[in-house]
Amino acid sequence: MKKTLVTALLGAALSMAATGDLMAQTTLRIFTGGQQRPDVMKQIVDVYMQRNPGVKVEVEVGGATSEQQQQYLNTVLASRDSTLDVVLIDVIRPAQWAAAQWAEPLDSYLGAEKDATMARYVAAYREANIVNGKVIALPYFADAQFLYYRKDLFEKHGVQPPKTWTELRDGLKKIMDAEKNPNLSGFQTAGAPIEGTVCTYLVPLWELGGQLTDASGKLTLTGETARKPFDLWGDLKSSGVLPSNIAEIVTDRMRQNYQAGNLISTMNWGYVWNRVENDADSVVKGKTGVVPMPAYEAGKSATCIGGWQLAVTAFSKNKAEAVKLVRFLSSPEVSKMQAILASHMPVFPEVYTDPEVLKANPWFKDALPVVQTARSRPVTPRYNEVSEIIRTNMNAFLAGTKTADAALSDMQSRLTPIFK
Ligand code: GLC
């Protein structure tokens, strides 16, 4: 009798195991942002769970913008909360994460494979994720800013894709004057006090040969060059090419405006392509061109390097399993899946030339050199402050509440003690 009961219990246990109930011993929780295609991450994670029946992965979705996500994470991590095992972090953050000791360094897990693993990534991502010799995170997808433009409208009005800001302004004015559509905005870049607005300032600065700091890390934001980005955006705003509400514009809003047919061109990131070409509500499918950003002088284009990295938190209770998941998410296989499903730019050079990737994103054929030469926002553990100083002053200028001189001098006086 007893024996039969034991056998019955054992049988039940075995059949539960077969359905996965008993085998799901580890639950991992990964945090991602609303704009980083959590739906695609869920599809990828499903593949991982099929291959690893002992692991369950939950995806937590945070705010849409980079600084909103980090604000939330500051609170969670400052209290050494162990609920998150893996966090998707912006490329600007590894230095801060390393200094705060929020990330579990991955060196010992990578072991003898460390150098070979890191060598495969596009150089900028290898460099961004190694802080003081330690691997703080592994890259998930690359990013850079490009000019998205309505190829159909440019062709209709005989306008060439612009190589300079003057060509952009004049070409857009021509199209806007001829279209006479009051809802059609010419150009948008991030102008709200969000992370993307840091790049709105830096891209023109870099194109002019300016830099925030010199090689020793001292602030070099002086003179005419430092002021010219304000003049550029001021000119585009007064000519009506930038909309009057530019100071309210966040990244994903530009994408929405564009795919609703209300925007001719935008400085935006890789993810926009997939949404514009595939979203049910996009009215501009097949009508978009993507080229490097215009510059003051043709050929002197610059762009911010962007992208998202996978860090294992220092407080995770499942670090070894979390690292395994991260290594999968940071593999060429997943890079390719993301490129096809989300136009997330690959972190492996060879994925850019994969035929299926190119079929989904024909413009990737010219995109790798842009990513390879894209510039980094300043690398410092105090990046939160740096970002806040630049984006709020740029925003105040765009809103018309500060003059260019006042915004620049406030930027200089607050940045000087950080970069001294
Ligand atoms: C994109 C980039 C990221 C950048 C952000 C700013 O998500 O990948 O690096 O900070 O946009 O809006």
mmCIF file of all heavy atoms in Angstrom, residues 35-36 65-67 90-93 141-144 190 194-197 199 251 269 271 305-308 377 383, ligand 1:
data_model
loop_
_atom_site.group_PDB
_atom_site.id
_atom_site.type_symbol
_atom_site.label_atom_id
_atom_site.label_comp_id
_atom_site.label_asym_id
_atom_site.label_seq_id
_atom_site.Cartn_x
_atom_site.Cartn_y
_atom_site.Cartn_z
ATOM 1 N N GLN A 35 10.893 51.887 -24.779
ATOM 2 C CA GLN A 35 11.230 52.191 -26.177
ATOM 3 C C GLN A 35 12.133 51.116 -26.800
ATOM 4 O O GLN A 35 12.371 51.109 -27.993
ATOM 5 C CB GLN A 35 11.929 53.541 -26.212
ATOM 6 C CG GLN A 35 11.953 54.198 -27.556
ATOM 7 C CD GLN A 35 12.654 55.533 -27.447
ATOM 8 O OE1 GLN A 35 12.134 56.483 -26.877
ATOM 9 N NE2 GLN A 35 13.866 55.594 -27.950
ATOM 10 N N GLN A 36 12.680 50.238 -25.965
ATOM 11 C CA GLN A 36 13.653 49.253 -26.461
ATOM 12 C C GLN A 36 12.989 47.942 -26.879
ATOM 13 O O GLN A 36 13.576 46.873 -26.743
ATOM 14 C CB GLN A 36 14.756 49.011 -25.411
ATOM 15 C CG GLN A 36 15.791 50.124 -25.344
ATOM 16 C CD GLN A 36 15.268 51.406 -24.726
ATOM 17 O OE1 GLN A 36 14.605 51.376 -23.700
ATOM 18 N NE2 GLN A 36 15.554 52.549 -25.338
ATOM 19 N N THR A 65 12.016 56.824 -21.575
ATOM 20 C CA THR A 65 13.273 57.522 -21.855
ATOM 21 C C THR A 65 14.373 57.067 -20.896
ATOM 22 O O THR A 65 14.104 56.640 -19.778
ATOM 23 C CB THR A 65 13.111 59.059 -21.776
ATOM 24 O OG1 THR A 65 12.640 59.393 -20.477
ATOM 25 C CG2 THR A 65 12.150 59.581 -22.819
ATOM 26 N N SER A 66 15.596 57.195 -21.407
ATOM 27 C CA SER A 66 16.763 56.698 -20.702
ATOM 28 C C SER A 66 16.870 57.250 -19.274
ATOM 29 O O SER A 66 17.116 56.514 -18.319
ATOM 30 C CB SER A 66 17.983 57.099 -21.538
ATOM 31 O OG SER A 66 19.165 56.699 -20.951
ATOM 32 N N GLU A 67 16.661 58.578 -19.114
ATOM 33 C CA GLU A 67 16.852 59.160 -17.774
ATOM 34 C C GLU A 67 15.721 58.763 -16.827
ATOM 35 O O GLU A 67 15.948 58.585 -15.642
ATOM 36 C CB GLU A 67 17.094 60.679 -17.842
ATOM 37 C CG GLU A 67 15.903 61.559 -18.134
ATOM 38 C CD GLU A 67 15.319 61.332 -19.517
ATOM 39 O OE1 GLU A 67 16.049 60.976 -20.450
ATOM 40 O OE2 GLU A 67 14.098 61.504 -19.655
ATOM 41 N N ASP A 90 21.712 52.055 -20.813
ATOM 42 C CA ASP A 90 22.154 52.880 -21.939
ATOM 43 C C ASP A 90 23.691 52.881 -21.999
ATOM 44 O O ASP A 90 24.360 52.747 -20.964
ATOM 45 C CB ASP A 90 21.608 54.302 -21.702
ATOM 46 C CG ASP A 90 21.616 55.167 -22.937
ATOM 47 O OD1 ASP A 90 22.348 54.853 -23.883
ATOM 48 O OD2 ASP A 90 20.890 56.187 -22.930
ATOM 49 N N VAL A 91 24.234 53.088 -23.187
ATOM 50 C CA VAL A 91 25.690 53.057 -23.390
ATOM 51 C C VAL A 91 26.429 54.127 -22.573
ATOM 52 O O VAL A 91 27.628 54.002 -22.319
ATOM 53 C CB VAL A 91 26.014 53.191 -24.905
ATOM 54 C CG1 VAL A 91 25.677 54.591 -25.423
ATOM 55 C CG2 VAL A 91 27.441 52.807 -25.228
ATOM 56 N N ILE A 92 25.718 55.146 -22.118
ATOM 57 C CA ILE A 92 26.340 56.202 -21.322
ATOM 58 C C ILE A 92 26.542 55.797 -19.861
ATOM 59 O O ILE A 92 27.151 56.538 -19.099
ATOM 60 C CB ILE A 92 25.453 57.476 -21.338
ATOM 61 C CG1 ILE A 92 24.014 57.084 -20.981
ATOM 62 C CG2 ILE A 92 25.552 58.179 -22.673
ATOM 63 C CD1 ILE A 92 22.943 58.124 -21.223
ATOM 64 N N ARG A 93 26.039 54.634 -19.448
ATOM 65 C CA ARG A 93 25.988 54.340 -18.016
ATOM 66 C C ARG A 93 27.030 53.409 -17.408
ATOM 67 O O ARG A 93 27.155 53.379 -16.179
ATOM 68 C CB ARG A 93 24.612 53.787 -17.631
ATOM 69 C CG ARG A 93 23.501 54.647 -18.146
ATOM 70 C CD ARG A 93 22.382 54.873 -17.164
ATOM 71 N NE ARG A 93 21.334 55.642 -17.820
ATOM 72 C CZ ARG A 93 21.260 56.957 -17.795
ATOM 73 N NH1 ARG A 93 22.133 57.668 -17.119
ATOM 74 N NH2 ARG A 93 20.299 57.586 -18.444
ATOM 75 N N PHE A 141 22.308 45.926 -28.129
ATOM 76 C CA PHE A 141 22.253 46.449 -29.505
ATOM 77 C C PHE A 141 22.959 47.790 -29.606
ATOM 78 O O PHE A 141 23.103 48.500 -28.620
ATOM 79 C CB PHE A 141 20.831 46.493 -30.059
ATOM 80 C CG PHE A 141 19.883 47.517 -29.477
ATOM 81 C CD1 PHE A 141 19.751 48.786 -30.020
ATOM 82 C CD2 PHE A 141 19.059 47.178 -28.402
ATOM 83 C CE1 PHE A 141 18.845 49.709 -29.499
ATOM 84 C CE2 PHE A 141 18.145 48.093 -27.874
ATOM 85 C CZ PHE A 141 18.047 49.361 -28.426
ATOM 86 N N ALA A 142 23.415 48.080 -30.821
ATOM 87 C CA ALA A 142 24.131 49.323 -31.107
ATOM 88 C C ALA A 142 23.129 50.384 -31.562
ATOM 89 O O ALA A 142 21.966 50.074 -31.819
ATOM 90 C CB ALA A 142 25.165 49.073 -32.204
ATOM 91 N N ASP A 143 23.599 51.611 -31.654
ATOM 92 C CA ASP A 143 22.694 52.670 -32.076
ATOM 93 C C ASP A 143 23.502 53.886 -32.516
ATOM 94 O O ASP A 143 24.657 54.056 -32.111
ATOM 95 C CB ASP A 143 21.768 53.071 -30.907
ATOM 96 C CG ASP A 143 20.363 53.410 -31.365
ATOM 97 O OD1 ASP A 143 20.169 53.557 -32.578
ATOM 98 O OD2 ASP A 143 19.469 53.522 -30.499
ATOM 99 N N ALA A 144 22.902 54.690 -33.347
ATOM 100 C CA ALA A 144 23.475 55.983 -33.739
ATOM 101 C C ALA A 144 22.327 56.793 -34.309
ATOM 102 O O ALA A 144 21.256 56.240 -34.593
ATOM 103 C CB ALA A 144 24.567 55.797 -34.793
ATOM 104 N N ALA A 190 15.334 65.787 -30.620
ATOM 105 C CA ALA A 190 14.864 65.849 -29.234
ATOM 106 C C ALA A 190 15.114 67.246 -28.668
ATOM 107 O O ALA A 190 16.207 67.798 -28.819
ATOM 108 C CB ALA A 190 15.586 64.799 -28.398
ATOM 109 N N ILE A 194 15.288 65.741 -21.968
ATOM 110 C CA ILE A 194 15.554 64.301 -21.894
ATOM 111 C C ILE A 194 16.974 64.008 -22.404
ATOM 112 O O ILE A 194 17.604 64.856 -23.025
ATOM 113 C CB ILE A 194 14.550 63.481 -22.743
ATOM 114 C CG1 ILE A 194 14.642 63.889 -24.230
ATOM 115 C CG2 ILE A 194 13.130 63.647 -22.227
ATOM 116 C CD1 ILE A 194 14.041 62.884 -25.180
ATOM 117 N N GLU A 195 17.424 62.778 -22.197
ATOM 118 C CA GLU A 195 18.776 62.392 -22.599
ATOM 119 C C GLU A 195 19.080 62.724 -24.066
ATOM 120 O O GLU A 195 20.163 63.217 -24.393
ATOM 121 C CB GLU A 195 18.969 60.890 -22.328
ATOM 122 C CG GLU A 195 20.321 60.347 -22.735
ATOM 123 C CD GLU A 195 21.482 61.115 -22.131
ATOM 124 O OE1 GLU A 195 21.374 61.557 -20.979
ATOM 125 O OE2 GLU A 195 22.495 61.293 -22.832
ATOM 126 N N GLY A 196 18.146 62.457 -24.958
ATOM 127 C CA GLY A 196 18.395 62.677 -26.377
ATOM 128 C C GLY A 196 18.791 64.121 -26.689
ATOM 129 O O GLY A 196 19.496 64.394 -27.676
ATOM 130 N N THR A 197 18.351 65.060 -25.853
ATOM 131 C CA THR A 197 18.627 66.478 -26.090
ATOM 132 C C THR A 197 20.103 66.807 -25.844
ATOM 133 O O THR A 197 20.619 67.811 -26.338
ATOM 134 C CB THR A 197 17.635 67.315 -25.250
ATOM 135 O OG1 THR A 197 16.326 66.946 -25.691
ATOM 136 C CG2 THR A 197 17.805 68.804 -25.423
ATOM 137 N N CYS A 199 22.399 65.046 -27.148
ATOM 138 C CA CYS A 199 22.946 64.852 -28.499
ATOM 139 C C CYS A 199 22.549 66.001 -29.424
ATOM 140 O O CYS A 199 23.278 66.339 -30.350
ATOM 141 C CB CYS A 199 22.486 63.505 -29.064
ATOM 142 S SG CYS A 199 23.083 62.116 -28.080
ATOM 143 N N THR A 251 11.919 61.682 -27.971
ATOM 144 C CA THR A 251 12.314 60.801 -29.070
ATOM 145 C C THR A 251 11.139 60.070 -29.719
ATOM 146 O O THR A 251 10.942 60.123 -30.932
ATOM 147 C CB THR A 251 13.326 59.762 -28.537
ATOM 148 O OG1 THR A 251 14.346 60.476 -27.849
ATOM 149 C CG2 THR A 251 13.923 58.945 -29.648
ATOM 150 N N TRP A 269 17.021 57.518 -34.012
ATOM 151 C CA TRP A 269 17.825 56.323 -33.765
ATOM 152 C C TRP A 269 17.340 55.141 -34.602
ATOM 153 O O TRP A 269 16.272 55.199 -35.212
ATOM 154 C CB TRP A 269 17.761 55.989 -32.268
ATOM 155 C CG TRP A 269 18.160 57.138 -31.385
ATOM 156 C CD1 TRP A 269 17.319 58.108 -30.883
ATOM 157 C CD2 TRP A 269 19.467 57.470 -30.922
ATOM 158 N NE1 TRP A 269 18.042 59.007 -30.129
ATOM 159 C CE2 TRP A 269 19.359 58.635 -30.123
ATOM 160 C CE3 TRP A 269 20.732 56.883 -31.081
ATOM 161 C CZ2 TRP A 269 20.458 59.228 -29.498
ATOM 162 C CZ3 TRP A 269 21.816 57.471 -30.452
ATOM 163 C CH2 TRP A 269 21.689 58.638 -29.680
ATOM 164 N N TYR A 271 15.866 52.281 -34.134
ATOM 165 C CA TYR A 271 14.606 51.555 -33.933
ATOM 166 C C TYR A 271 13.463 52.111 -34.775
ATOM 167 O O TYR A 271 12.479 51.412 -35.043
ATOM 168 C CB TYR A 271 14.210 51.583 -32.439
ATOM 169 C CG TYR A 271 13.486 52.840 -32.003
ATOM 170 C CD1 TYR A 271 12.108 52.837 -31.830
ATOM 171 C CD2 TYR A 271 14.163 54.028 -31.799
ATOM 172 C CE1 TYR A 271 11.428 53.988 -31.442
ATOM 173 C CE2 TYR A 271 13.501 55.181 -31.419
ATOM 174 C CZ TYR A 271 12.132 55.160 -31.242
ATOM 175 O OH TYR A 271 11.462 56.304 -30.875
ATOM 176 N N ILE A 305 26.962 58.162 -30.427
ATOM 177 C CA ILE A 305 26.838 56.709 -30.329
ATOM 178 C C ILE A 305 25.801 56.403 -29.242
ATOM 179 O O ILE A 305 25.763 57.040 -28.201
ATOM 180 C CB ILE A 305 28.180 56.022 -30.067
ATOM 181 C CG1 ILE A 305 28.030 54.530 -30.319
ATOM 182 C CG2 ILE A 305 28.744 56.257 -28.671
ATOM 183 C CD1 ILE A 305 29.222 53.911 -30.967
ATOM 184 N N GLY A 306 24.918 55.460 -29.577
ATOM 185 C CA GLY A 306 23.906 55.058 -28.610
ATOM 186 C C GLY A 306 23.980 53.564 -28.411
ATOM 187 O O GLY A 306 24.960 52.923 -28.807
ATOM 188 N N GLY A 307 22.950 53.007 -27.831
ATOM 189 C CA GLY A 307 22.890 51.561 -27.703
ATOM 190 C C GLY A 307 22.694 51.117 -26.271
ATOM 191 O O GLY A 307 22.829 51.899 -25.331
ATOM 192 N N TRP A 308 22.367 49.844 -26.110
ATOM 193 C CA TRP A 308 21.922 49.302 -24.830
ATOM 194 C C TRP A 308 22.704 48.060 -24.457
ATOM 195 O O TRP A 308 22.986 47.202 -25.293
ATOM 196 C CB TRP A 308 20.414 49.072 -24.916
ATOM 197 C CG TRP A 308 19.744 50.410 -25.035
ATOM 198 C CD1 TRP A 308 19.623 51.172 -26.174
ATOM 199 C CD2 TRP A 308 19.224 51.204 -23.970
ATOM 200 N NE1 TRP A 308 19.032 52.388 -25.871
ATOM 201 C CE2 TRP A 308 18.779 52.434 -24.538
ATOM 202 C CE3 TRP A 308 19.086 51.004 -22.582
ATOM 203 C CZ2 TRP A 308 18.199 53.449 -23.761
ATOM 204 C CZ3 TRP A 308 18.501 52.015 -21.827
ATOM 205 C CH2 TRP A 308 18.061 53.215 -22.417
ATOM 206 N N ARG A 377 29.273 60.336 -25.834
ATOM 207 C CA ARG A 377 29.013 61.371 -24.841
ATOM 208 C C ARG A 377 30.043 61.173 -23.721
ATOM 209 O O ARG A 377 30.613 60.087 -23.600
ATOM 210 C CB ARG A 377 27.568 61.210 -24.335
ATOM 211 C CG ARG A 377 26.538 61.685 -25.348
ATOM 212 C CD ARG A 377 25.159 61.115 -25.111
ATOM 213 N NE ARG A 377 24.993 59.807 -25.743
ATOM 214 C CZ ARG A 377 23.915 59.030 -25.637
ATOM 215 N NH1 ARG A 377 22.895 59.441 -24.917
ATOM 216 N NH2 ARG A 377 23.853 57.860 -26.252
ATOM 217 N N TYR A 383 27.953 61.206 -14.987
ATOM 218 C CA TYR A 383 27.241 61.491 -16.233
ATOM 219 C C TYR A 383 25.824 62.024 -15.993
ATOM 220 O O TYR A 383 25.342 62.880 -16.741
ATOM 221 C CB TYR A 383 27.198 60.264 -17.171
ATOM 222 C CG TYR A 383 26.565 60.671 -18.469
ATOM 223 C CD1 TYR A 383 27.286 61.433 -19.383
ATOM 224 C CD2 TYR A 383 25.232 60.410 -18.734
ATOM 225 C CE1 TYR A 383 26.694 61.902 -20.543
ATOM 226 C CE2 TYR A 383 24.629 60.877 -19.891
ATOM 227 C CZ TYR A 383 25.372 61.620 -20.790
ATOM 228 O OH TYR A 383 24.777 62.098 -21.931
HETATM 229 C C1 GLC B 1 18.586 55.877 -27.897
HETATM 230 C C2 GLC B 1 20.050 55.518 -27.768
HETATM 231 C C3 GLC B 1 20.567 55.868 -26.411
HETATM 232 C C4 GLC B 1 20.284 57.316 -26.139
HETATM 233 C C5 GLC B 1 18.796 57.574 -26.207
HETATM 234 C C6 GLC B 1 18.513 59.051 -26.015
HETATM 235 O O1 GLC B 1 17.816 54.998 -27.136
HETATM 236 O O2 GLC B 1 20.265 54.169 -28.042
HETATM 237 O O3 GLC B 1 21.948 55.615 -26.313
HETATM 238 O O4 GLC B 1 20.789 57.748 -24.917
HETATM 239 O O5 GLC B 1 18.303 57.176 -27.459
HETATM 240 O O6 GLC B 1 17.186 59.356 -26.231
#
